[in-house]
Amino acid sequence: QHQARGRICRLLIVAAWGAARGTSPLRGQRPLQWPPAPELARIRYEGSFQRLDDSPVSRSFWRRVLRAVIGPGDSYNMVRPFGISTDPQGRIIVVDTEQRLVHVLDYSRHRYLHLAGSPHERFGSPIGTVVDHEGNVYVSDSLLGKIFVFHANGKFWHYLGDLEGEGRFRRPTGLAFDPDRHLLYLTDTLYHKVFVLDVDGRAVRSVGKRGSD
């Protein structure tokens, strides 16, 4: 059952406005896209993956040769994928809430690493992820109430929202990053707010409040 859940992780490549790229991997079939043909695709299904050994797009001949030489690589199967992001290197970063891991899959170099928390504290319930303009990886933990920040090489850097070991957030979930203003947006479902943070974790402002209904 867990493996089946992992299989539903779909990679959606968002086409640039007004441009479509390549041909569909579903050869001989009408491509799965939105909006439907004959309109120009803005979102198109490219493939699915569960681990590094699964390629989300068709491999080239030389990529298949390289895989045969160096082997399939070491990686975990995804069990319950949730948050997903990409980084400047083109790696795919997936939060696995069941395994309490973050998978970092580099298909171009056939490399894999996983993030499990800091040297002093493992993830409690990782759920959201985003990457900033320098390639640093942010992971929200809804149980611990804080954000883990990692360097691009996977080394833990620091926390955001950690106050003497306790998380300042109540249930941090979704993350987004504004590369132009270098601001982090964090949804907190128990605070009923969206917090706007700078890269040092200082709150710039917040938006929203608990509704009356």
Side-chain angles (χ1 to χ4, degrees):
Q1 183 180 6
H2 288 329
Q3 298 299 325
R5 287 174 181 164
R7 282 288 179 190
I8 68 173
C9 181
R10 301 296 187 221
L11 175 65
L12 293 176
I13 304 299
V14 181
W17 180 277
R21 55 184 290 276
T23 58
S24 170
L26 307 175
R27 295 176 182 174
Q29 302 180 34
R30 180 175 295 181
L32 301 176
Q33 68 176 57
W34 181 87
E39 294 189 50
L40 199 60
R42 292 174 58 192
I43 300 175
R44 184 170 58 215
Y45 173 78
E46 292 285 351
S48 63
F49 62 95
Q50 186 183 15
R51 55 180 293 148
L52 185 63
D53 198 34
D54 302 325
S55 177
V57 293
S58 299
R59 291 192 186 95
S60 68
F61 169 76
W62 291 111
R63 178 62 58 188
R64 293 194 297 270
V65 169
L66 179 62
R67 176 180 173 273
V69 172
I70 67 175
D74 223 6
S75 68
Y76 289 78
N77 286 335
M78 284 183 281
V79 177
R80 189 174 291 171
F82 199 85
I84 185 168
S85 187
T86 58
D87 72 0
Q89 301 179 53
R91 300 182 300 179
I92 302 171
I93 300 162
V94 184
V95 178
D96 190 326
T97 59
E98 180 73 18
Q99 299 192 79
R100 295 189 294 156
L101 292 175
V102 175
H103 307 276
V104 182
L105 304 112
D106 187 340
Y107 284 100
S108 64
R109 300 174 182 85
H110 201 73
R111 295 176 182 170
Y112 170 87
L113 67 88
H114 70 269
L115 314 175
S118 76
H120 310 291
E121 185 176 37
R122 188 177 177 185
F123 290 135
S125 180
I127 191 165
T129 187
V130 76
V131 179
D132 70 14
H133 60 295
E134 295 181 340
N136 301 309
V137 180
Y138 298 74
V139 180
S140 60
D141 193 305
S142 62
L143 179 64
L144 299 179
K146 62 185 78 173
I147 299 170
F148 292 70
V149 186
F150 301 85
H151 290 295
N153 62 7
K155 184 178 179 180
F156 175 77
W157 184 12
H158 63 94
Y159 297 106
L160 298 183
D162 181 72
L163 300 175
E164 297 181 355
E166 299 293 331
R168 67 177 278 200
F169 304 111
R170 296 180 66 184
R171 187 169 291 168
T173 51
L175 288 168
F177 186 76
D178 182 343
D180 296 323
R181 297 179 177 86
H182 298 177
L183 293 175
L184 186 70
Y185 293 79
L186 168 70
T187 58
D188 192 312
T189 57
L190 287 185
Y191 269 129
H192 308 280
K193 293 179 182 293
V194 176
F195 290 97
V196 184
L197 312 171
D198 63 19
V199 291
D200 295 317
R202 291 185 291 262
V204 176
R205 62 183 180 275
S206 64
V207 180
K209 62 181 180 179
R210 184 181 180 90
S212 58
D213 294 335

